[in-house]
Amino acid sequence: MADLADMFRFPQPDIQEFFRTYAVTGFTVSTDEQRIAVSTNLSGRYNVWGLDLPNTYPYPLTYVDQTPQALKFDPQGRYILVGFDHDGDENTQLYVIAPSGGALTPIRTFEGRRHYFTALSKDGNRVYYTSDKENHSFMNGYVYDLETGEERTLYEGQDTTTELVAVAPDESSFVTAKSYANTFIVPFLHVGEDVRPITPDPTIVHSIHDLAYLDNGRVVLTTNFSSDSAYLASYDITTEKFEQLWAQPGVDLSGMAVHESTGTVYVIASQGVQDRLFAYSLKTGVTEEVDVPVAVIEGLHVGASGTVYLLGRSDVDPFNLYRKPLGGSWESLTNNRVMGTEPFDLSHAEVEHYQSFDGLEIEALWFPANPLTRNGYTVVWPHGGPQSSERKMFRPFFQYLTSRGYNVWAPNFRGSSNYGAKFMQMVNGDWGHGPRRDMVESMEWLIREGKADRDKLFLVGGSYGGYMSLLLHGRHAEYFQAVVDIFGPSNLFTFIDSVPDSWKPAMTIWVGHPEKDKDRLTADSPITYLDGMTKPMFVVQGANDPRVVKAESDQIVEALRSRGVEVEYLVFPDEGHGFSKKENEIEAYRRIVEFLDKHRK
């Protein structure tokens, strides 16, 4: 009898298998820890889905096919709060739905404006949030009473974008964060009319990464005040004492979850391309590392029971939810995986290091092509942000590329996050020189090491990575066979002018001043180098993108086409800065890989 393995020759996974993995962008746990609500595109469109514990089979709670931007169970179980934008416009409106799901009931809406949810009162009767509805550039904080329908303005933002970040359990105080740049975010405590900084000196450039109340008299936070790496600190509201509690040398502490009854703070430690989790005891000062089942932690919550809930992913594992009871082991609540594959079929990220043009050490990830389909070509991927980083996290696009025979190279150039404050600040006011040269040196390193051929490189990037793809194309076209730009800025002057109002106060530090920095912004704008853009291009854009507006892509496409350059242009009328609809995501990346295949020699 013939072996069944010989009888059935199953096809290799195609783009559907990789991209039909679902994403989870956030979750919330009910007070009794019997239910979880998640923001996911399980059906191909984003909605809120529910999981009953211990039975974890998911079921839909909304049917609006839009991406949830906020999600929180009412402490008394009467409703679920959720925020939705529309087709990626990022103008989040706040609603409630019944505990069993269904139609949306608006609670805070304002056409064309944003609402950032912060907290619910302990009884669930009041909603705290930030909005740009009355203060477009600096934003205000509000509290809305669900019972009476009355709203009160907590503060009016001044000087720069100001966001409400935490509220005391008894609502006697709250904390705001004034954002001067991504690397300069200062927390302030508000008690009645008294407003004072939580960190010792608000004029020193530093940031907070997360902040939470321990009780009505004390907050904990992760901050890099007077340090290159972020550490865990506390602030006593009565004594006004700021105190460093625990630091992990060379590691940035970021997100937190507090278990009040045991006095435990769970802290995410981000080190380059991977995360770790630690439990710090406020009672003893002892810190213990907690093993986690993922490489990158995307969400963290601790329930009253002491159970820790975690959302994360790894290089070959998509988004999944896990929980760890107090004193127990991790258990998976979801089983999201790539259809038709085993983990060994996928490309595991390899960590590499190289020295850039000025001796700065850069970390990068190398995703090797599948040996059975290897075609010798490498896709160079400058990440977005720019103050973000490429990490050991599942990307359907990377795995699809490697399955089709492409290597993927993703350097964390200067300005990337998780390498300390000084490294991250290097991109402020230098979008197009240092990071660009880091990228060029990374390609030279690949070639010297024999990992890539000089005449077999493609360039693909999105957002800031799209900008860098355009800039590298204009200034270093000789490296590439073809270039893909996914919603990247093409002109820094028009980009600065067109970003959302609440971004504008930070643009001078982050990018530059249109008049004072005119020469540098001109030199760093891809549109300056049209004559150098000689290779075939593919450009992808969302029509509703509020961060990099469609005009950024329009102008580069029109200018290149007028010069006779081959440019394919794909615009999605129902997308913003990214893909909220699975069919659009699949079409975009299928077209991109077809474009790359077409331009292989």
Side-chain angles (χ1 to χ4, degrees):
M1 178 179 285
D3 190 294
L4 288 179
D6 294 326
M7 292 175 61
F8 297 108
R9 296 297 181 187
F10 297 110
Q12 290 292 316
D14 195 13
I15 189 169
Q16 294 281 347
E17 282 77 16
F18 292 105
F19 280 88
R20 284 295 173 184
T21 54
Y22 55 87
V24 180
T25 60
F27 72 98
T28 183
V29 182
S30 63
T31 303
D32 61 8
E33 300 181 59
Q34 296 300 299
R35 299 180 71 198
I36 296 177
V38 299
S39 164
T40 179
N41 59 355
L42 183 60
S43 66
R45 300 287 183 101
Y46 278 97
N47 275 293
V48 181
W49 288 67
L51 301 170
D52 292 335
L53 301 177
N55 171 24
T56 56
Y57 191 83
Y59 53 89
L61 292 171
T62 66
Y63 48 85
V64 296
D65 294 345
Q66 301 292 338
T67 307
Q69 306 291 330
L71 198 55
K72 187 70 174 179
F73 277 106
D74 167 36
Q76 299 189 54
R78 298 165 296 179
Y79 62 84
I80 303 172
L81 182 144
V82 60
F84 286 106
D85 73 348
H86 182 73
D87 287 347
D89 65 7
E90 300 185 14
N91 292 322
T92 303
Q93 313 297 313
L94 298 180
Y95 308 88
V96 293
I97 58 174
S100 57
L104 305 180
T105 298
I107 56 169
R108 292 289 84 190
T109 62
F110 196 107
E111 185 176 354
R113 288 296 159 188
R114 305 173 175 210
H115 302 73
Y116 298 101
F117 169 72
T118 300
L120 291 175
S121 59
K122 289 190 73 173
D123 61 9
N125 292 339
R126 288 167 298 285
V127 179
Y128 288 84
Y129 71 99
T130 308
S131 179
D132 64 351
K133 62 184 180 181
E134 297 176 308
N135 188 348
H136 298 346
S137 294
F138 303 146
M139 303 199 297
N140 295 341
Y142 303 89
V143 56
Y144 176 71
D145 193 304
L146 292 168
E147 289 187 314
T148 66
E150 296 178 352
E151 179 164 279
R152 178 166 57 91
T153 301
L154 297 171
Y155 68 88
E156 295 183 359
Q158 298 178 349
D159 305 323
T160 193
T161 305
T162 306
E163 188 168 355
L164 180 64
V165 295
V167 180
D170 67 356
E171 304 171 76
S172 61
S173 67
F174 60 88
V175 176
T176 61
K178 295 178 78 71
S179 299
Y180 301 95
N182 291 339
T183 53
F184 191 5
I185 304 173
V186 182
F188 289 84
L189 178 74
H190 299 243
V191 184
E193 297 298 318
D194 180 31
V195 181
R196 58 182 186 262
I198 287 176
T199 46
D201 187 344
T203 66
I204 295 175
V205 175
H206 66 283
S207 291
I208 60 164
H209 294 174
D210 201 359
L211 183 146
Y213 276 85
L214 289 174
D215 49 44
N216 295 314
R218 193 180 184 198
V219 298
V220 288
L221 64 154
T222 50
T223 178
N224 59 16
F225 177 80
S226 293
S227 173
D228 190 53
S229 299
Y231 52 87
L232 182 65
S234 69
Y235 178 80
D236 189 293
I237 294 173
T238 302
T239 65
E240 302 185 26
K241 181 181 180 181
F242 175 88
E243 179 183 11
Q244 178 176 317
L245 299 177
W246 173 67
Q248 181 76 358
V251 175
D252 270 331
L253 304 186
S254 53
M256 302 181 304
V258 179
H259 187 227
E260 186 176 346
S261 63
T262 60
T264 304
V265 183
Y266 292 90
V267 189
I268 301 169
S270 300
Q271 186 171 21
V273 299
Q274 193 158 336
D275 290 330
R276 298 157 68 188
L277 182 65
F278 291 88
Y280 174 83
S281 173
L282 293 162
K283 297 178 180 178
T284 66
V286 174
T287 306
E288 295 182 357
E289 184 164 4
V290 181
D291 289 335
V292 292
V294 298
V296 177
I297 300 172
E298 307 280 3
L300 187 66
H301 173 82
V302 58
S305 68
T307 298
V308 178
Y309 299 84
L310 181 150
L311 169 65
R313 52 181 166 160
S314 302
D315 50 0
V316 297
D317 299 308
F319 290 95
N320 277 295
L321 280 165
Y322 306 84
R323 69 175 175 180
K324 182 181 183 296
L326 191 63
S329 301
W330 290 105
E331 57 181 309
S332 177
L333 300 178
T334 56
N335 186 24
N336 186 19
R337 57 192 178 89
V338 181
M339 290 183 286
T341 70
E342 297 295 337
F344 54 78
D345 293 325
L346 302 174
S347 183
H348 292 257
E350 300 174 6
V351 182
E352 302 285 0
H353 295 87
Y354 67 93
Q355 282 196 343
S356 192
F357 66 96
D358 57 357
L360 184 69
E361 183 175 285
I362 304 293
E363 187 171 63
L365 289 178
W366 172 258
F367 293 82
N370 186 318
L372 299 178
T373 58
R374 184 183 294 123
N375 59 35
Y377 282 81
T378 296
V379 173
V380 178
W381 173 268
H383 65 72
Q387 289 159 322
S388 179
S389 54
E390 200 55 56
R391 317 196 72 203
K392 283 188 174 180
M393 58 190 185
F394 180 81
R395 281 192 183 273
F397 181 46
F398 286 10
Q399 296 299 331
Y400 180 49
L401 282 170
T402 57
S403 76
R404 294 292 297 263
Y406 294 94
N407 305 305
V408 178
W409 175 241
N412 283 335
F413 44 79
R414 68 191 66 206
S416 299
S417 58
N418 305 321
Y419 298 95
K422 181 180 178 181
F423 191 92
M424 189 172 174
Q425 290 166 4
M426 286 182 174
V427 77
N428 286 342
D430 178 18
W431 273 39
H433 179 71
R436 172 180 57 84
R437 295 191 63 184
D438 291 342
M439 290 299 302
V440 171
E441 187 54 45
S442 83
M443 293 182 289
E444 289 293 341
W445 183 88
L446 281 180
I447 295 164
R448 288 196 304 270
E449 293 293 313
K451 299 177 78 70
D453 294 335
R454 188 176 293 275
D455 61 349
K456 292 185 177 181
L457 296 177
F458 288 114
L459 180 61
V460 182
S463 193
Y464 177 86
Y467 157 84
M468 183 55 65
S469 294
L470 291 172
L471 188 63
L472 286 169
H473 185 192
R475 302 195 68 172
H476 307 280
E478 69 275 11
Y479 282 97
F480 311 110
Q481 299 305 304
V483 177
V484 179
D485 158 37
I486 309 169
F487 39 79
S490 62
N491 182 330
L492 293 183
F493 293 97
T494 54
F495 171 64
I496 290 170
D497 186 58
S498 63
V499 296
D501 292 334
S502 59
W503 285 31
K504 290 180 179 178
M507 295 303 283
T508 297
I509 292 176
W510 195 36
V511 186
H513 190 281
E515 296 177 1
K516 296 178 183 178
D517 302 314
K518 182 178 180 180
D519 291 344
R520 180 175 55 76
L521 292 175
T522 300
D524 288 350
S525 288
I527 201 87
T528 302
Y529 305 99
L530 291 171
D531 290 342
M533 297 184 186
T534 57
K535 300 301 173 68
M537 281 204 66
F538 190 98
V539 178
V540 180
Q541 179 69 45
N544 300 322
D545 193 335
R547 305 184 187 192
V548 182
V549 297
K550 182 173 174 287
E552 288 297 310
S553 292
D554 288 346
Q555 61 182 302
I556 200 76
V557 169
E558 291 168 7
L560 290 176
R561 283 177 172 172
S562 70
R563 284 166 165 76
V565 177
E566 176 191 340
V567 183
E568 295 184 37
Y569 191 22
L570 178 60
V571 178
F572 291 99
D574 56 351
E575 294 287 9
H577 197 69
F579 298 103
S580 61
K581 299 166 182 65
K582 184 60 68 174
E583 65 269 24
N584 291 342
E585 184 180 32
I586 290 173
E587 180 184 355
Y589 288 111
R590 184 195 297 278
R591 292 269 304 269
I592 288 170
V593 175
E594 288 174 351
F595 173 79
L596 300 181
D597 289 344
K598 181 174 69 174
H599 291 288
R600 282 165 28 197
K601 290 182 178 179

